[in-house]
Amino acid sequence: MMGVPQLCLLLVLVSLCSGIFSNVQTSDSSTPNIHGYPNLEDSDRDEARGFSGDLPNNHGLQLDDEDESAAIGDQESSATRSGDYDIMKRETYELKVLVESLQTEVKKMQKEQQELTSSAADSLSMDGTDPGSMPDESPSNFKNNEARSIYTRWGREDCPSTANTVYAGFAAGTHREDTGGGSNYLCLPREPIYNRPIAGSDFNRAQLFSVDYEDFETHLDEYDAPCVVCESIGRSTILMVPARIDCPEGWLREYYGYLMSQKYSHQKSEFVCVDYNAKGIPGTGQEAEGGDFFAVEGGCFEGSGSFLCDEPYVAGYELTCAVCSK
């Protein structure tokens, strides 16, 4: 397909050829014949000249040698001009065919150019977004049609290099002694947006509290736990593998750490994977009644025959975990 410069050049050529063809047609229709008469049929031209083409003429006039030579020369000149005229007609026809061919090619290229422009516009706005206001995706090689998946990285405020940050926040959960409410942990955004709130507490409602580390790492005890929601790039499935710090073959490890949950004597909660290099939220660190992150270990009742009582599992060892994507 030709570009815009080539298309412009072809349009100029077509215009030039069309002008030449028009001039030739005008010249062909207005130029008198070789004898200075208007365009006449051969028989009319012979009658107008007073002879049929044979010498001496049909009127019985006797021409001397000089007049006869002049007449013969005039006839030869007429034949030459007639040949030139035939060549001009043929060249005019060929030029006409060329111009029509170029015009057809120009129309074809204009149609292809319009289709290309329309296709590009459709591809930019296929998701209903104004192409002029489309956000810059990160990483730079991210494509709109690539698979995506979401997971929460507990204990950190940043996502690994394999993912985009959706938002960072604070780990929250139901109070350790509440029998109701939710059992799962939530990652609350740093800046909430309320909608027509009613002041005051209603203890009939479920409540959320901050989640802090308990009996984990000494420097993190009682510190509230941060969290971050991450978007993996080009992968649609998330898997948390307990008791491993690596991922199955063909999977990518997003992060790894320790398996954690509520204390065994508190209300039940979910198991989550807290980052190996977990951080605490600055300014916290005091005992706060709320939710907890306790490490999880294998339990074994002597003589039960549980798989957690035998190798490779070891009762009392903290269990690890890995978050994997594919």
Side-chain angles (χ1 to χ4, degrees), residues 85-156:
Y85 178 74
D86 291 339
I87 293 173
M88 181 181 296
K89 288 181 65 177
R90 184 173 63 254
E91 291 177 346
T92 300
Y93 175 76
E94 292 174 353
L95 183 60
K96 178 181 179 182
V97 172
L98 175 61
V99 170
E100 292 176 349
S101 175
L102 291 176
Q103 289 174 335
T104 301
E105 188 67 21
V106 167
K107 291 179 180 179
K108 179 181 177 181
M109 287 189 296
Q110 288 175 333
K111 182 179 179 181
E112 291 176 350
Q113 187 72 21
Q114 292 174 351
E115 292 175 351
L116 180 62
T117 303
S118 176
S119 175
D122 291 342
S123 65
L124 285 175
S125 58
M126 63 184 301
D127 61 351
T129 303
D130 181 4
S133 62
M134 292 179 68
D136 182 23
E137 300 289 355
S138 178
S140 58
N141 62 349
F142 183 80
K143 297 179 180 178
N144 287 333
N145 61 352
E146 283 185 320
R148 312 180 189 188
S149 56
I150 299 294
Y151 64 89
T152 300
R153 188 181 190 185
W154 302 102
R156 293 294 295 266

Side-chain angles (χ1 to χ4, degrees), residues 6-309:
Q6 293 88 341
L7 181 61
C8 293
L9 181 60
L10 189 56
L11 287 171
V12 172
L13 180 59
V14 169
S15 176
L16 181 61
C17 292
S18 299
I20 295 174
F21 175 67
S22 175
N23 291 337
V24 170
Q25 283 187 319
T26 303
S27 175
D28 180 42
S29 61
S30 60
T31 303
N33 60 37
I34 56 178
H35 298 290
Y37 299 111
N39 289 319
L40 303 173
E41 297 293 335
D42 290 341
S43 58
D44 296 332
R45 184 169 61 248
D46 291 340
E47 182 177 354
R49 294 189 61 191
F51 62 88
S52 63
D54 296 328
L55 294 173
N57 63 33
N58 295 333
H59 296 282
L61 299 176
Q62 187 67 34
L63 302 175
D64 54 27
D65 292 340
E66 182 177 353
D67 294 334
E68 185 175 353
S69 297
I72 293 174
D74 189 33
Q75 190 174 13
E76 291 176 349
S77 176
S78 174
T80 300
R81 294 181 181 179
S82 178
D84 293 342
Y85 178 74
D86 291 339
I87 293 173
M88 181 181 296
K89 288 181 65 177
R90 184 173 63 254
E91 291 177 346
T92 300
Y93 175 76
E94 292 174 353
L95 183 60
K96 178 181 179 182
V97 172
L98 175 61
V99 170
E100 292 176 349
S101 175
L102 291 176
Q103 289 174 335
T104 301
E105 188 67 21
V106 167
K107 291 179 180 179
K108 179 181 177 181
M109 287 189 296
Q110 288 175 333
K111 182 179 179 181
E112 291 176 350
Q113 187 72 21
Q114 292 174 351
E115 292 175 351
L116 180 62
T117 303
S118 176
S119 175
D122 291 342
S123 65
L124 285 175
S125 58
M126 63 184 301
D127 61 351
T129 303
D130 181 4
S133 62
M134 292 179 68
D136 182 23
E137 300 289 355
S138 178
S140 58
N141 62 349
F142 183 80
K143 297 179 180 178
N144 287 333
N145 61 352
E146 283 185 320
R148 312 180 189 188
S149 56
I150 299 294
Y151 64 89
T152 300
R153 188 181 190 185
W154 302 102
R156 293 294 295 266
E157 297 178 319
D158 58 326
C159 293
S161 60
T162 55
N164 288 327
T165 297
V166 180
Y167 70 87
F170 314 110
T174 302
H175 192 279
R176 67 186 71 167
E177 297 180 358
D178 285 350
T179 57
S183 61
N184 60 312
Y185 294 106
L186 296 176
C187 187
L188 295 183
R190 292 174 179 172
E191 298 181 359
I193 298 177
Y194 295 101
N195 183 23
R196 298 169 60 191
I198 300 175
S201 297
D202 184 343
F203 292 102
N204 290 319
R205 298 173 180 172
Q207 293 181 318
L208 286 175
F209 297 86
S210 63
V211 173
D212 55 29
Y213 304 105
E214 297 286 350
D215 297 336
F216 177 43
E217 297 283 354
T218 303
H219 69 284
L220 289 177
D221 275 352
E222 305 297 342
Y223 273 87
D224 291 351
C227 56
V228 59
V229 177
C230 305
E231 178 187 49
S232 67
I233 302 170
R235 296 170 298 283
S236 60
T237 304
I238 296 295
L239 172 68
M240 193 271 278
V241 182
R244 300 286 298 192
I245 62 172
D246 57 359
C247 295
E249 184 177 355
W251 292 72
L252 175 70
R253 187 177 74 181
E254 299 287 343
Y255 74 95
Y256 73 100
Y258 293 101
L259 196 64
M260 292 194 171
S261 184
Q262 274 285 11
K263 186 178 179 179
Y264 80 97
S265 60
H266 292 164
Q267 297 301 318
K268 294 183 182 299
S269 68
E270 64 179 329
F271 293 102
V272 295
C273 188
V274 177
D275 197 273
Y276 170 78
N277 188 23
K279 307 293 184 182
I281 297 176
T284 62
Q286 295 78 34
E287 174 67 27
E289 294 289 330
D292 299 314
F293 276 157
F294 279 87
V296 177
E297 61 183 39
C300 174
F301 288 105
E302 201 172 320
S304 66
S306 170
F307 70 91
L308 289 172
C309 295

